[in-house]
Amino acid sequence: MRKKKRSEDSGFNVWRSYSDMMAGVLLLFVLIMCVTLFQAQKSYNESIKERDEKIALQEQYTAEILAQQNALDEKDVKLSSQSEQLDKQKKLLAELAAQLKQQQSDLDEKTSMLATQQKKIDNIIGVKADVIESLQQEFSKNNVSVDIDPQTGALTLNASVLFDYDKAELTEEGKAELSNILPIYCKVLLQGDYKKYLAEIIIDGYTDTDGDYYYNLELSQKRSLAVAEYLTEIRENFLNAQQISELQTYLTVNGHSMANPVLDANGNVDKNASRRVEVKFRLKDDEMIDELNNIMTSENN
């Protein structure tokens, strides 16, 4: 009986040992699987982390590239805008250069014209100065004392000598004075050197400031006309036929009433001096000289 019992116990022990071994193997397998899974999970996590880092780095690179691209695009836009502005500025400079060239051309033309006009002015001024000098010399040579303006050549005659007060008929004394003065004045102006420049021989009558303007206007006109008529009466004594005809072309008579009165040193009207007759001449280009002088004066201002 005892022997049979040991045989059963031995079989049970073998089976238990086998079970223990299989349990150990299973446990080892489980441990290996756990370790493997842990390693796999760790590797997976590291892979995921590496992937995320690469993705983040890629996104950063992409953002930097996009930023650089945007910066380049902005630079391109700026360069394009600057290029357009440069083209506009070049066009504007070209237009300004063309305008400047035209202005320079106009300036050169005006300079040339002014030079020509200045030459004419100098010539006319020279002629006027020569005429005035010739008049002064002729009056001096003939011992005739006259009041002649050294700048304009205007000859002033005292109306108190030529006319009685408030009258327009020449006195004998006035005729005698005119006989000494007018021939010299007209002969100098009508000589060949000056005649081609002559535009007018003018006789202007003036009164003092007393009385009515229109009455004085008529009186001044009658007095200047009386001088002109006396000149036509005596012209044959000192002028040839051609000069007589020319004198009629040049002679102009005006009455100015009480305009342009003569003032004394204190600024008061000198009535005796204001009653006068002026004989003067105008050269053909005197108006041009006055106009150019006005233009130059306005430009300088």
Side-chain angles (χ1 to χ4, degrees):
M1 291 299 291
R2 292 180 180 176
K3 289 183 180 179
K4 186 177 181 181
K5 187 177 180 178
R6 280 196 294 269
S7 177
E8 291 176 356
D9 292 338
S10 176
F12 176 77
N13 289 336
V14 170
W15 175 251
R16 190 177 60 180
S17 297
Y18 178 77
S19 298
D20 291 340
M21 182 185 67
M22 290 303 293
V25 170
L26 180 61
L27 180 61
L28 179 61
F29 177 76
V30 171
L31 290 174
I32 291 173
M33 287 297 295
C34 288
V35 170
T36 301
L37 288 173
F38 176 77
Q39 292 293 333
Q41 183 65 39
K42 182 179 179 182
S43 178
Y44 175 77
N45 291 337
E46 289 177 353
S47 177
I48 293 297
K49 183 179 180 181
E50 183 179 357
R51 185 200 65 180
D52 292 341
E53 289 176 352
K54 288 181 179 179
I55 290 173
L57 185 61
Q58 185 176 4
E59 289 177 351
Q60 181 181 352
Y61 287 159
T62 302
E64 290 178 356
I65 291 173
L66 289 175
Q68 292 177 355
Q69 184 62 44
N70 290 334
L72 289 175
D73 291 341
E74 290 178 359
K75 288 182 179 179
D76 289 340
V77 172
K78 289 181 179 179
L79 287 174
S80 177
S81 177
Q82 290 175 353
S83 179
E84 291 178 357
Q85 291 179 359
L86 184 60
D87 291 339
K88 290 180 180 179
Q89 290 176 351
K90 287 181 178 179
K91 184 177 179 181
L92 180 61
L93 286 174
E95 292 175 354
L96 290 175
Q99 292 177 3
L100 183 61
K101 185 176 181 181
Q102 182 62 41
Q103 290 175 354
Q104 184 63 45
S105 177
D106 294 342
L107 181 61
D108 292 340
E109 183 179 354
K110 289 180 180 179
T111 301
S112 177
M113 290 176 60
L114 284 175
T116 302
Q117 297 294 350
Q118 185 62 48
K119 185 176 180 180
K120 290 181 179 180
I121 289 173
D122 294 340
N123 183 49
I124 293 303
I125 291 175
V127 170
K128 177 172 279 191
D130 289 344
V131 172
I132 295 171
E133 184 179 359
S134 295
L135 288 170
Q136 291 171 333
Q137 289 177 352
E138 286 299 313
F139 282 121
S140 177
K141 184 170 66 175
N142 289 275
N143 296 320
V144 177
S145 178
V146 293
D147 181 12
I148 186 168
D149 191 313
Q151 301 298 323
T152 65
L155 187 68
T156 301
L157 305 174
N158 192 336
S160 299
V161 175
L162 301 179
F163 307 97
D164 291 330
Y165 183 78
D166 202 27
K167 301 294 183 182
E169 294 79 19
L170 286 169
T171 62
E172 293 301 319
E173 183 182 2
K175 290 179 180 180
E177 183 167 340
L178 292 177
S179 297
N180 291 329
I181 294 174
L182 293 180
I184 297 173
Y185 199 86
C186 292
K187 285 176 68 175
V188 170
L189 291 173
L190 293 174
Q191 63 177 286
D193 293 339
Y194 305 135
K195 184 174 60 179
K196 60 183 177 180
Y197 299 103
L198 185 64
E200 283 183 300
I201 298 174
I202 306 166
I203 301 176
D204 287 331
Y206 297 87
T207 66
D208 59 27
T209 55
D210 290 340
D212 179 72
Y213 173 84
Y214 295 103
Y215 177 83
N216 285 329
L217 178 62
E218 182 180 4
L219 179 62
S220 63
Q221 289 174 335
K222 287 181 178 179
R223 285 181 171 178
S224 59
L225 183 60
V227 174
E229 288 176 344
Y230 184 73
L231 174 60
T232 60
E233 291 177 10
I234 63 174
R235 61 188 177 180
E236 296 179 355
N237 297 335
F238 57 91
L239 297 177
N240 58 40
Q242 181 180 351
Q243 290 175 325
I244 291 173
S245 177
E246 292 168 346
L247 178 62
Q248 295 176 173
T249 303
Y250 295 128
L251 191 59
T252 300
V253 178
N254 301 307
H256 297 278
S257 186
M258 58 182 68
N260 301 322
V262 177
L263 305 180
D264 60 21
N266 297 321
N268 300 316
V269 175
D270 186 335
K271 295 183 180 180
N272 289 329
S274 297
R275 291 190 293 270
R276 68 196 187 279
V277 174
E278 292 183 357
V279 182
K280 57 187 177 183
F281 65 90
R282 182 178 64 82
L283 300 181
K284 290 180 179 178
D285 292 332
D286 275 356
E287 292 90 344
M288 180 192 70
I289 295 173
D290 292 338
E291 182 178 352
L292 286 176
N293 285 333
N294 291 332
I295 293 173
M296 291 178 181
T297 301
S298 62
E299 288 180 349
N300 291 332
N301 292 337

